[in-house]
Amino acid sequence: MEFDKDKKWYNARIDPYHAFRMDPASLVFHYGQSIFDGMKAFYGVDGKIRTFRLTDYVKRFNRSARRLCMPEVDEDFFRETIRTLIRIDKDWIPKSKGTALYIRPCMIASEASLGVKVSSDYLCFVIACAVGAYYKEGFNPIKIWVTDEYTRAVKGGTGDVKTTCNYGGCLFAERKAAEMGYTQVMWLDAIERKYVEEIGTMNVFLVIDETIITPPLNGSILAGVTRDSVLKMAISLGYKVIEKNISIDEIIRSVEDGSLKEIFGSGTAAVISPIKELLYKGITYATYDGTRKNISKILFDEITALQYGEKKDSYGWTETV
Ligand SMILES: *Cc1c(COP(=O)(O)O)cnc(C)c1O
């Protein structure tokens, strides 16, 4: 759909996937006024198709729009649009466990102008694609590089919303991590380079002794829908859960004294991604014990059981399409 000041959102339609033409002076290409989100639809064991927390993703899309001075979408309309797209594309949804239809809404500034300003025109589109199982051979722990050189976001900036602007700047550190053989970067706070914020594009959780810890949403951390699901589910499963700042020094100490049991990331793509090794200031630390019953695996199994309709959803997170 398109937006201009007079007509507001107009011309909403679902077309076959196609390229579109844009003016090279479109503001999005120059000043990055652009947002996106990402969610999934699942083919369940009962043959029903389910969305997971669709309303929460749509609400976050609008929060991102407000922060980037973009027009909001009507939430009910947008939800229904996504549900309709899923229905139209239902034959493309892969059926085996772990696979999904990935849904990517975007909004971009389309006014042609070279001055830095809030665009008057926008384009909003939603694309979808089939995605394979994230874990093909079981739960696969990854290695991460803790960088105290590069940072992702600072309080007062845009780290807490899904705007395109946040991601290009992360690529350099991510490539550096990959060159060293590490899958992701662990981001520390931008001021003291001390407190853990995120892992790549995932939220971060630690299990120290029997407590699950995640940093609070302090303004530079993205409020992941999966993060929220992990918190709520962990509480209802009876785990002790706290949101607090945790420094990398504290983490290293807890690895050394054996109190650190697990570190994992959470996000829509992998749901839960366990971490097996940290590299910090040139020293590696092992952070995964595959011989114990990991909380990360329990949470992964519980969340995916809801997504694939294997268990009754008492949270009200899933909706059949
Ligand atoms: C999308 C994203 C997450 C995870 O959010 P989910 O809603 O769980 O997918 C975490 N951090 C960043 C920077 C992100 O862009």
Side-chain angles (χ1 to χ4, degrees):
M1 60 186 177
E2 290 143 73
F3 182 95
D4 76 28
K5 276 206 169 76
D6 303 322
K7 294 202 278 266
K8 306 299 177 194
W9 287 113
Y10 68 100
N11 207 10
R13 64 212 182 263
I14 296 180
D15 286 340
Y17 194 94
H18 64 85
F20 49 69
R21 294 169 67 89
M22 288 190 71
D23 193 302
S26 296
L27 283 163
V28 62
F29 297 137
H30 305 269
Y31 311 118
Q33 201 189 356
S34 166
I35 60 165
F36 68 94
D37 219 292
M39 64 198 80
K40 285 176 173 173
F42 305 87
Y43 186 91
V45 288
D46 52 359
K48 290 184 179 147
I49 295 160
R50 286 179 178 78
T51 55
F52 186 74
R53 305 196 66 171
L54 175 58
T55 302
D56 297 301
Y57 288 100
V58 169
K59 282 188 191 302
R60 180 169 69 188
F61 191 63
N62 267 343
R63 273 205 307 281
S64 303
R66 286 197 292 278
R67 179 64 176 83
L68 271 286
C69 304
M70 301 171 107
E72 290 177 43
V73 297
D74 181 278
E75 281 171 14
D76 290 335
F77 175 75
F78 208 61
R79 278 168 41 84
E80 218 28 64
T81 302
I82 290 170
R83 290 168 57 83
T84 306
L85 178 64
I86 295 166
R87 273 195 290 271
I88 292 172
D89 276 345
K90 69 177 191 309
D91 293 341
W92 291 96
I93 306 179
K95 294 194 169 62
S96 52
K97 176 111 197 244
T99 64
L101 187 73
Y102 183 76
I103 299 151
R104 165 57 61 90
C106 298
M107 192 191 295
I108 57 176
S110 56
E111 181 187 349
S113 168
L114 285 179
V116 181
K117 62 169 192 151
V118 173
S119 180
S120 58
D121 305 335
Y122 297 90
L123 204 59
C124 179
F125 53 93
V126 182
I127 56 177
C129 79
V131 288
Y134 203 86
Y135 297 110
K136 286 173 194 75
E137 305 121 13
F139 217 37
N140 189 22
I142 58 168
K143 291 163 49 168
I144 54 169
W145 173 44
V146 184
T147 175
D148 53 1
E149 186 177 3
Y150 304 101
T151 58
R152 189 189 85 90
V154 67
K155 287 173 196 47
T158 56
D160 60 344
V161 291
K162 268 184 139 57
T163 169
T164 311
C165 320
N166 294 337
Y167 300 85
C170 292
L171 297 175
F172 193 81
E174 283 162 5
R175 187 175 63 187
K176 203 162 164 178
E179 284 165 0
M180 295 188 294
Y182 288 78
T183 311
Q184 284 287 3
V185 170
M186 179 182 273
W187 303 105
L188 303 178
D189 79 280
I191 297 167
E192 296 184 67
R193 311 282 165 98
K194 191 173 159 189
Y195 296 102
V196 172
E197 298 223 316
E198 300 208 47
I199 295 175
T201 55
M202 292 186 290
N203 293 112
V204 56
F205 286 85
L206 300 116
V207 182
I208 295 184
D209 293 321
E210 297 308 314
T211 306
I212 301 175
I213 304 168
T214 192
L217 300 174
N218 59 359
S220 51
I221 292 174
L222 197 284
V225 173
T226 318
R227 174 187 182 279
D228 189 68
S229 306
V230 166
L231 287 175
K232 293 195 166 113
M233 195 152 244
I235 290 166
S236 83
L237 292 174
Y239 292 105
K240 184 166 177 240
V241 178
I242 49 171
E243 292 178 68
K244 67 158 193 155
N245 286 319
I246 179 153
S247 70
I248 185 66
D249 295 333
E250 206 178 330
I251 294 172
I252 301 297
R253 268 202 309 279
S254 66
V255 174
E256 287 172 343
D257 70 17
S259 58
L260 185 125
K261 300 293 189 284
E262 294 173 55
I263 305 185
F264 58 93
S266 75
T268 297
V271 185
I272 303 271
S273 188
I275 309 304
K276 68 174 173 192
E277 182 184 314
L278 296 181
L279 171 66
Y280 179 57
K281 291 192 190 292
I283 301 171
T284 58
Y285 301 88
T287 56
Y288 187 77
D289 177 359
T291 62
R292 63 191 286 277
K293 190 165 182 173
N294 286 290
I295 291 176
S296 53
K297 180 66 165 65
I298 294 169
L299 291 165
F300 175 83
D301 289 342
E302 286 291 321
I303 293 174
T304 53
L306 300 187
Q307 293 173 333
Y308 293 94
E310 293 167 342
K311 275 196 183 170
K312 194 177 159 297
D313 172 14
S314 54
Y315 301 87
W317 289 339
T318 59
E319 285 170 84
T320 53
V321 176

